[in-house]
């Protein structure tokens, strides 16, 4: 396991999540239940930087504090996934590739940054769409998560990737960024979805925009473009059944919900924090205990 601790079962570990507005995160419960099932105690603390008690703390202060307090590591989320990089000693290959970190491991006096969103999406995709053809894939959304998903799709073997974002500059930037890492990859930015579907139908579509979230209802892909031969994946997981997935299911498409990415990013982070393999089914069971 790349970058993990030696696999010695600890008595107790402290980990946490640093971000803003993170009160509803399911990640603490997944880690704590997994540790308990493996016979040790894990305190997973939500370190919400919006909390009044942390008003005077910077990200750097927060990292210093948890490192001094003996944390095994922390997850990092909005708005710190890129900002945290300058505070770290080294990055994993995936974190360097994506240019964002969601997991920091404290090890031998060093801070190592990882990106488990990439592997989380890739693992969910490979397991959830077995047998599907994905040579030609459309990614909608080129924001923070879209970058990790794009790299994951390339690593999963997508041969032609079209990227659409309502902010065309973001799609162009992601294409340039991907071409630097994968120079032989056929990747293009598309300003108009009609342009993609007029020439040919992609094998499948991934939504990496926030469209479909409870607070942003709707779908980034008009239903006219759906076809039963396509698969449709969403990374939004609140709610699990987004409008896009509902439309796709009604059309007869294979679908992949965002819960897989959320669970597998935690599976890999658990392994990095503890050096112990995590049980994805058990972590998914904990994830599913939340009201959706
Ligand atoms: P972001 O704001 O960084 O990026 C979103 C991008 O989508 C932006 O570039 C925006 O221009 C684009 N966009 C928005 N609406 C669009 C539309 N209708 N058509 C085309 N483009 C559109 O957000 P993010 O951090 O990348 O997160 C995106 C979503 O992914 C959020 O809902 C987040 O909760 C979810 N997410 C899920 C997981 C998971 O584990 N399942 C992990 C990370 C993020």
């Amino acid at each position: 396991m790349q970058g993990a601790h030696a696999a010695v079962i600890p008595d107790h570990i402290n980990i946490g999540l640093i971000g803003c507005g993170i009160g509803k995160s399911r990640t603490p419960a997944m880690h704590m239940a997994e540790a308990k099932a493996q016979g040790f105690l894990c305190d997973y603390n939500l370190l919400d930087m919006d909390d009044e008690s942390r008003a005077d703390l910077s990200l750097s202060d927060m990292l210093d504090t948890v490192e001094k307090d003996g944390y095994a590591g922390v997850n990092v989320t909005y708005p710190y996934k890129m900002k945290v990089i300058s505070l770290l000693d080294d990055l994993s290959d995936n974190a360097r590739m994506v240019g964002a970190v969601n997991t920091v491991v404290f090890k031998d006096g060093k801070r190592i940054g990882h990106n488990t969103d990439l592997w989380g999406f890739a693992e969910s995709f490979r397991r959830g769409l077995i047998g599907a053809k994905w040579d030609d894939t459309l990614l909608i959304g080129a924001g923070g998560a879209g970058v990790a998903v794009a790299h994951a799709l390339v690593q999963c073997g997508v041969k032609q990737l079209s990227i659409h974002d309502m902010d065309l500059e973001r799609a162009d930037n992601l294409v340039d960024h991907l071409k630097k890492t994968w120079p032989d990859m056929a990747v293009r930015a598309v300003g108009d979805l009609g342009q993609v579907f007029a020439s040919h139908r992609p094998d499948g579509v991934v939504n990496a925009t926030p469209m479909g979230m409870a607070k942003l209802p709707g779908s980034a892909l008009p239903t006219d473009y759906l076809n039963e031969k396509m698969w449709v994946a969403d990374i939004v997981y609140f709610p699990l059944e987004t409008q896009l997935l509902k439309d796709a299911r009604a059309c007869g498409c294979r679908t992949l919900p965002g819960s897989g990415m959320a669970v597998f990013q935690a599976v890999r982070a658990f392994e990095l924090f503890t050096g112990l393999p995590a049980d994805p089914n058990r972590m998914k069971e904990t994830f599913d205990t939340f009201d959706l």
Side-chain angles (χ1 to χ4, degrees), residues 130-158:
I130 290 171
K133 187 169 177 287
W134 56 61
D135 290 351
D136 185 345
T137 294
L138 168 66
L139 170 65
I140 309 181
V147 179
V149 169
H151 282 284
L153 289 168
V154 179
Q155 290 187 10
C156 287
V158 166

PDB file of all heavy atoms in Angstrom, residues 130-158:
ATOM      1  N   ILE A 130     -18.853  -2.846 -14.292  1.00  0.00           N
ATOM      2  CA  ILE A 130     -18.155  -4.000 -14.881  1.00  0.00           C
ATOM      3  C   ILE A 130     -18.815  -4.374 -16.207  1.00  0.00           C
ATOM      4  O   ILE A 130     -20.049  -4.467 -16.300  1.00  0.00           O
ATOM      5  CB  ILE A 130     -18.187  -5.201 -13.896  1.00  0.00           C
ATOM      6  CG1 ILE A 130     -17.291  -4.886 -12.693  1.00  0.00           C
ATOM      7  CG2 ILE A 130     -17.733  -6.502 -14.571  1.00  0.00           C
ATOM      8  CD1 ILE A 130     -17.401  -5.873 -11.562  1.00  0.00           C
ATOM      9  N   GLY A 131     -17.977  -4.566 -17.222  1.00  0.00           N
ATOM     10  CA  GLY A 131     -18.491  -5.001 -18.536  1.00  0.00           C
ATOM     11  C   GLY A 131     -18.933  -3.860 -19.424  1.00  0.00           C
ATOM     12  O   GLY A 131     -19.209  -4.069 -20.606  1.00  0.00           O
ATOM     13  N   ALA A 132     -19.015  -2.654 -18.885  1.00  0.00           N
ATOM     14  CA  ALA A 132     -19.468  -1.526 -19.715  1.00  0.00           C
ATOM     15  C   ALA A 132     -18.327  -1.062 -20.629  1.00  0.00           C
ATOM     16  O   ALA A 132     -17.153  -1.221 -20.306  1.00  0.00           O
ATOM     17  CB  ALA A 132     -19.913  -0.368 -18.824  1.00  0.00           C
ATOM     18  N   LYS A 133     -18.700  -0.479 -21.745  1.00  0.00           N
ATOM     19  CA  LYS A 133     -17.705   0.097 -22.658  1.00  0.00           C
ATOM     20  C   LYS A 133     -17.560   1.563 -22.253  1.00  0.00           C
ATOM     21  O   LYS A 133     -18.566   2.252 -22.044  1.00  0.00           O
ATOM     22  CB  LYS A 133     -18.250  -0.027 -24.084  1.00  0.00           C
ATOM     23  CG  LYS A 133     -17.300   0.364 -25.173  1.00  0.00           C
ATOM     24  CD  LYS A 133     -17.900  -0.073 -26.526  1.00  0.00           C
ATOM     25  CE  LYS A 133     -17.027   0.358 -27.685  1.00  0.00           C
ATOM     26  NZ  LYS A 133     -17.079   1.783 -27.956  1.00  0.00           N
ATOM     27  N   TRP A 134     -16.323   2.024 -22.121  1.00  0.00           N
ATOM     28  CA  TRP A 134     -16.151   3.434 -21.746  1.00  0.00           C
ATOM     29  C   TRP A 134     -15.038   4.110 -22.532  1.00  0.00           C
ATOM     30  O   TRP A 134     -14.431   5.076 -22.072  1.00  0.00           O
ATOM     31  CB  TRP A 134     -15.970   3.607 -20.239  1.00  0.00           C
ATOM     32  CG  TRP A 134     -14.859   2.839 -19.580  1.00  0.00           C
ATOM     33  CD1 TRP A 134     -13.538   2.931 -19.835  1.00  0.00           C
ATOM     34  CD2 TRP A 134     -15.005   1.889 -18.503  1.00  0.00           C
ATOM     35  NE1 TRP A 134     -12.836   2.105 -18.992  1.00  0.00           N
ATOM     36  CE2 TRP A 134     -13.710   1.453 -18.153  1.00  0.00           C
ATOM     37  CE3 TRP A 134     -16.089   1.374 -17.792  1.00  0.00           C
ATOM     38  CZ2 TRP A 134     -13.476   0.526 -17.148  1.00  0.00           C
ATOM     39  CZ3 TRP A 134     -15.856   0.448 -16.783  1.00  0.00           C
ATOM     40  CH2 TRP A 134     -14.568   0.030 -16.473  1.00  0.00           C
ATOM     41  N   ASP A 135     -14.787   3.592 -23.747  1.00  0.00           N
ATOM     42  CA  ASP A 135     -13.725   4.186 -24.573  1.00  0.00           C
ATOM     43  C   ASP A 135     -13.947   5.690 -24.758  1.00  0.00           C
ATOM     44  O   ASP A 135     -13.022   6.484 -24.709  1.00  0.00           O
ATOM     45  CB  ASP A 135     -13.725   3.554 -25.977  1.00  0.00           C
ATOM     46  CG  ASP A 135     -13.257   2.110 -25.930  1.00  0.00           C
ATOM     47  OD1 ASP A 135     -12.792   1.690 -24.856  1.00  0.00           O
ATOM     48  OD2 ASP A 135     -13.364   1.418 -26.949  1.00  0.00           O
ATOM     49  N   ASP A 136     -15.209   6.038 -24.985  1.00  0.00           N
ATOM     50  CA  ASP A 136     -15.548   7.412 -25.341  1.00  0.00           C
ATOM     51  C   ASP A 136     -16.473   7.968 -24.245  1.00  0.00           C
ATOM     52  O   ASP A 136     -17.619   7.527 -24.102  1.00  0.00           O
ATOM     53  CB  ASP A 136     -16.285   7.350 -26.696  1.00  0.00           C
ATOM     54  CG  ASP A 136     -16.599   8.717 -27.238  1.00  0.00           C
ATOM     55  OD1 ASP A 136     -16.520   9.698 -26.497  1.00  0.00           O
ATOM     56  OD2 ASP A 136     -16.955   8.793 -28.428  1.00  0.00           O
ATOM     57  N   THR A 137     -15.945   8.889 -23.458  1.00  0.00           N
ATOM     58  CA  THR A 137     -16.692   9.340 -22.273  1.00  0.00           C
ATOM     59  C   THR A 137     -16.819  10.863 -22.250  1.00  0.00           C
ATOM     60  O   THR A 137     -15.891  11.577 -22.643  1.00  0.00           O
ATOM     61  CB  THR A 137     -15.970   8.821 -20.998  1.00  0.00           C
ATOM     62  OG1 THR A 137     -16.062   7.400 -20.977  1.00  0.00           O
ATOM     63  CG2 THR A 137     -16.593   9.361 -19.730  1.00  0.00           C
ATOM     64  N   LEU A 138     -17.965  11.312 -21.784  1.00  0.00           N
ATOM     65  CA  LEU A 138     -18.206  12.748 -21.612  1.00  0.00           C
ATOM     66  C   LEU A 138     -18.178  13.073 -20.121  1.00  0.00           C
ATOM     67  O   LEU A 138     -18.899  12.439 -19.335  1.00  0.00           O
ATOM     68  CB  LEU A 138     -19.586  13.105 -22.192  1.00  0.00           C
ATOM     69  CG  LEU A 138     -20.131  14.499 -21.862  1.00  0.00           C
ATOM     70  CD1 LEU A 138     -19.279  15.602 -22.494  1.00  0.00           C
ATOM     71  CD2 LEU A 138     -21.593  14.626 -22.327  1.00  0.00           C
ATOM     72  N   LEU A 139     -17.350  14.033 -19.745  1.00  0.00           N
ATOM     73  CA  LEU A 139     -17.301  14.512 -18.359  1.00  0.00           C
ATOM     74  C   LEU A 139     -17.916  15.899 -18.323  1.00  0.00           C
ATOM     75  O   LEU A 139     -17.481  16.792 -19.061  1.00  0.00           O
ATOM     76  CB  LEU A 139     -15.839  14.560 -17.880  1.00  0.00           C
ATOM     77  CG  LEU A 139     -15.566  15.263 -16.543  1.00  0.00           C
ATOM     78  CD1 LEU A 139     -16.230  14.510 -15.377  1.00  0.00           C
ATOM     79  CD2 LEU A 139     -14.062  15.380 -16.292  1.00  0.00           C
ATOM     80  N   ILE A 140     -18.917  16.081 -17.478  1.00  0.00           N
ATOM     81  CA  ILE A 140     -19.519  17.413 -17.322  1.00  0.00           C
ATOM     82  C   ILE A 140     -19.080  17.961 -15.967  1.00  0.00           C
ATOM     83  O   ILE A 140     -19.363  17.334 -14.925  1.00  0.00           O
ATOM     84  CB  ILE A 140     -21.060  17.366 -17.399  1.00  0.00           C
ATOM     85  CG1 ILE A 140     -21.520  16.608 -18.647  1.00  0.00           C
ATOM     86  CG2 ILE A 140     -21.632  18.780 -17.400  1.00  0.00           C
ATOM     87  CD1 ILE A 140     -23.034  16.532 -18.804  1.00  0.00           C
ATOM     88  N   GLY A 141     -18.374  19.082 -15.984  1.00  0.00           N
ATOM     89  CA  GLY A 141     -17.874  19.676 -14.737  1.00  0.00           C
ATOM     90  C   GLY A 141     -16.366  19.549 -14.655  1.00  0.00           C
ATOM     91  O   GLY A 141     -15.838  18.438 -14.588  1.00  0.00           O
ATOM     92  N   ALA A 142     -15.686  20.691 -14.699  1.00  0.00           N
ATOM     93  CA  ALA A 142     -14.218  20.685 -14.679  1.00  0.00           C
ATOM     94  C   ALA A 142     -13.717  21.467 -13.468  1.00  0.00           C
ATOM     95  O   ALA A 142     -12.702  22.154 -13.526  1.00  0.00           O
ATOM     96  CB  ALA A 142     -13.690  21.296 -15.983  1.00  0.00           C
ATOM     97  N   GLY A 143     -14.442  21.361 -12.353  1.00  0.00           N
ATOM     98  CA  GLY A 143     -14.030  22.041 -11.120  1.00  0.00           C
ATOM     99  C   GLY A 143     -13.096  21.142 -10.315  1.00  0.00           C
ATOM    100  O   GLY A 143     -12.450  20.239 -10.866  1.00  0.00           O
ATOM    101  N   GLY A 144     -13.037  21.370  -9.012  1.00  0.00           N
ATOM    102  CA  GLY A 144     -12.107  20.624  -8.154  1.00  0.00           C
ATOM    103  C   GLY A 144     -12.264  19.119  -8.298  1.00  0.00           C
ATOM    104  O   GLY A 144     -11.284  18.396  -8.543  1.00  0.00           O
ATOM    105  N   ALA A 145     -13.487  18.618  -8.162  1.00  0.00           N
ATOM    106  CA  ALA A 145     -13.702  17.168  -8.232  1.00  0.00           C
ATOM    107  C   ALA A 145     -13.523  16.677  -9.669  1.00  0.00           C
ATOM    108  O   ALA A 145     -13.027  15.562  -9.889  1.00  0.00           O
ATOM    109  CB  ALA A 145     -15.105  16.829  -7.732  1.00  0.00           C
ATOM    110  N   GLY A 146     -13.910  17.505 -10.629  1.00  0.00           N
ATOM    111  CA  GLY A 146     -13.796  17.112 -12.038  1.00  0.00           C
ATOM    112  C   GLY A 146     -12.357  16.775 -12.423  1.00  0.00           C
ATOM    113  O   GLY A 146     -12.123  15.870 -13.231  1.00  0.00           O
ATOM    114  N   VAL A 147     -11.385  17.483 -11.859  1.00  0.00           N
ATOM    115  CA  VAL A 147      -9.979  17.211 -12.187  1.00  0.00           C
ATOM    116  C   VAL A 147      -9.610  15.793 -11.728  1.00  0.00           C
ATOM    117  O   VAL A 147      -9.023  15.014 -12.491  1.00  0.00           O
ATOM    118  CB  VAL A 147      -9.037  18.256 -11.526  1.00  0.00           C
ATOM    119  CG1 VAL A 147      -7.587  17.948 -11.856  1.00  0.00           C
ATOM    120  CG2 VAL A 147      -9.396  19.663 -11.977  1.00  0.00           C
ATOM    121  N   ALA A 148      -9.978  15.444 -10.497  1.00  0.00           N
ATOM    122  CA  ALA A 148      -9.661  14.097  -9.983  1.00  0.00           C
ATOM    123  C   ALA A 148     -10.391  13.036 -10.811  1.00  0.00           C
ATOM    124  O   ALA A 148      -9.825  11.990 -11.154  1.00  0.00           O
ATOM    125  CB  ALA A 148     -10.062  13.995  -8.510  1.00  0.00           C
ATOM    126  N   VAL A 149     -11.654  13.302 -11.155  1.00  0.00           N
ATOM    127  CA  VAL A 149     -12.444  12.337 -11.934  1.00  0.00           C
ATOM    128  C   VAL A 149     -11.838  12.156 -13.330  1.00  0.00           C
ATOM    129  O   VAL A 149     -11.743  11.040 -13.837  1.00  0.00           O
ATOM    130  CB  VAL A 149     -13.927  12.792 -12.017  1.00  0.00           C
ATOM    131  CG1 VAL A 149     -14.700  11.957 -13.027  1.00  0.00           C
ATOM    132  CG2 VAL A 149     -14.587  12.698 -10.642  1.00  0.00           C
ATOM    133  N   ALA A 150     -11.383  13.255 -13.935  1.00  0.00           N
ATOM    134  CA  ALA A 150     -10.793  13.168 -15.282  1.00  0.00           C
ATOM    135  C   ALA A 150      -9.565  12.260 -15.257  1.00  0.00           C
ATOM    136  O   ALA A 150      -9.411  11.378 -16.113  1.00  0.00           O
ATOM    137  CB  ALA A 150     -10.427  14.563 -15.782  1.00  0.00           C
ATOM    138  N   HIS A 151      -8.683  12.470 -14.288  1.00  0.00           N
ATOM    139  CA  HIS A 151      -7.490  11.606 -14.193  1.00  0.00           C
ATOM    140  C   HIS A 151      -7.899  10.159 -13.928  1.00  0.00           C
ATOM    141  O   HIS A 151      -7.290   9.226 -14.467  1.00  0.00           O
ATOM    142  CB  HIS A 151      -6.554  12.098 -13.089  1.00  0.00           C
ATOM    143  CG  HIS A 151      -5.733  13.280 -13.497  1.00  0.00           C
ATOM    144  ND1 HIS A 151      -4.634  13.181 -14.320  1.00  0.00           N
ATOM    145  CD2 HIS A 151      -5.869  14.598 -13.214  1.00  0.00           C
ATOM    146  CE1 HIS A 151      -4.117  14.386 -14.520  1.00  0.00           C
ATOM    147  NE2 HIS A 151      -4.851  15.272 -13.860  1.00  0.00           N
ATOM    148  N   ALA A 152      -8.910   9.970 -13.105  1.00  0.00           N
ATOM    149  CA  ALA A 152      -9.373   8.605 -12.796  1.00  0.00           C
ATOM    150  C   ALA A 152      -9.893   7.934 -14.072  1.00  0.00           C
ATOM    151  O   ALA A 152      -9.602   6.766 -14.328  1.00  0.00           O
ATOM    152  CB  ALA A 152     -10.476   8.651 -11.729  1.00  0.00           C
ATOM    153  N   LEU A 153     -10.643   8.686 -14.876  1.00  0.00           N
ATOM    154  CA  LEU A 153     -11.192   8.115 -16.114  1.00  0.00           C
ATOM    155  C   LEU A 153     -10.060   7.694 -17.052  1.00  0.00           C
ATOM    156  O   LEU A 153     -10.111   6.617 -17.645  1.00  0.00           O
ATOM    157  CB  LEU A 153     -12.115   9.131 -16.811  1.00  0.00           C
ATOM    158  CG  LEU A 153     -13.457   9.383 -16.103  1.00  0.00           C
ATOM    159  CD1 LEU A 153     -14.164  10.602 -16.707  1.00  0.00           C
ATOM    160  CD2 LEU A 153     -14.371   8.159 -16.188  1.00  0.00           C
ATOM    161  N   VAL A 154      -9.030   8.535 -17.144  1.00  0.00           N
ATOM    162  CA  VAL A 154      -7.895   8.167 -18.003  1.00  0.00           C
ATOM    163  C   VAL A 154      -7.237   6.903 -17.449  1.00  0.00           C
ATOM    164  O   VAL A 154      -6.931   5.965 -18.194  1.00  0.00           O
ATOM    165  CB  VAL A 154      -6.878   9.329 -18.104  1.00  0.00           C
ATOM    166  CG1 VAL A 154      -5.695   8.914 -18.972  1.00  0.00           C
ATOM    167  CG2 VAL A 154      -7.532  10.577 -18.679  1.00  0.00           C
ATOM    168  N   GLN A 155      -7.030   6.860 -16.134  1.00  0.00           N
ATOM    169  CA  GLN A 155      -6.395   5.672 -15.533  1.00  0.00           C
ATOM    170  C   GLN A 155      -7.247   4.419 -15.712  1.00  0.00           C
ATOM    171  O   GLN A 155      -6.737   3.308 -15.719  1.00  0.00           O
ATOM    172  CB  GLN A 155      -6.117   5.910 -14.039  1.00  0.00           C
ATOM    173  CG  GLN A 155      -5.012   6.923 -13.808  1.00  0.00           C
ATOM    174  CD  GLN A 155      -4.604   7.052 -12.339  1.00  0.00           C
ATOM    175  OE1 GLN A 155      -5.007   6.265 -11.485  1.00  0.00           O
ATOM    176  NE2 GLN A 155      -3.801   8.057 -12.041  1.00  0.00           N
ATOM    177  N   CYS A 156      -8.546   4.593 -15.834  1.00  0.00           N
ATOM    178  CA  CYS A 156      -9.446   3.444 -16.032  1.00  0.00           C
ATOM    179  C   CYS A 156      -9.477   2.988 -17.499  1.00  0.00           C
ATOM    180  O   CYS A 156     -10.127   2.001 -17.819  1.00  0.00           O
ATOM    181  CB  CYS A 156     -10.867   3.789 -15.578  1.00  0.00           C
ATOM    182  SG  CYS A 156     -11.046   3.862 -13.794  1.00  0.00           S
ATOM    183  N   GLY A 157      -8.848   3.748 -18.376  1.00  0.00           N
ATOM    184  CA  GLY A 157      -8.733   3.290 -19.762  1.00  0.00           C
ATOM    185  C   GLY A 157      -9.618   4.018 -20.755  1.00  0.00           C
ATOM    186  O   GLY A 157      -9.736   3.563 -21.900  1.00  0.00           O
ATOM    187  N   VAL A 158     -10.240   5.139 -20.342  1.00  0.00           N
ATOM    188  CA  VAL A 158     -11.015   5.921 -21.323  1.00  0.00           C
ATOM    189  C   VAL A 158     -10.049   6.389 -22.422  1.00  0.00           C
ATOM    190  O   VAL A 158      -8.943   6.844 -22.127  1.00  0.00           O
ATOM    191  CB  VAL A 158     -11.694   7.131 -20.625  1.00  0.00           C
ATOM    192  CG1 VAL A 158     -12.211   8.138 -21.639  1.00  0.00           C
ATOM    193  CG2 VAL A 158     -12.824   6.642 -19.729  1.00  0.00           C
TER     194      VAL A 158
END
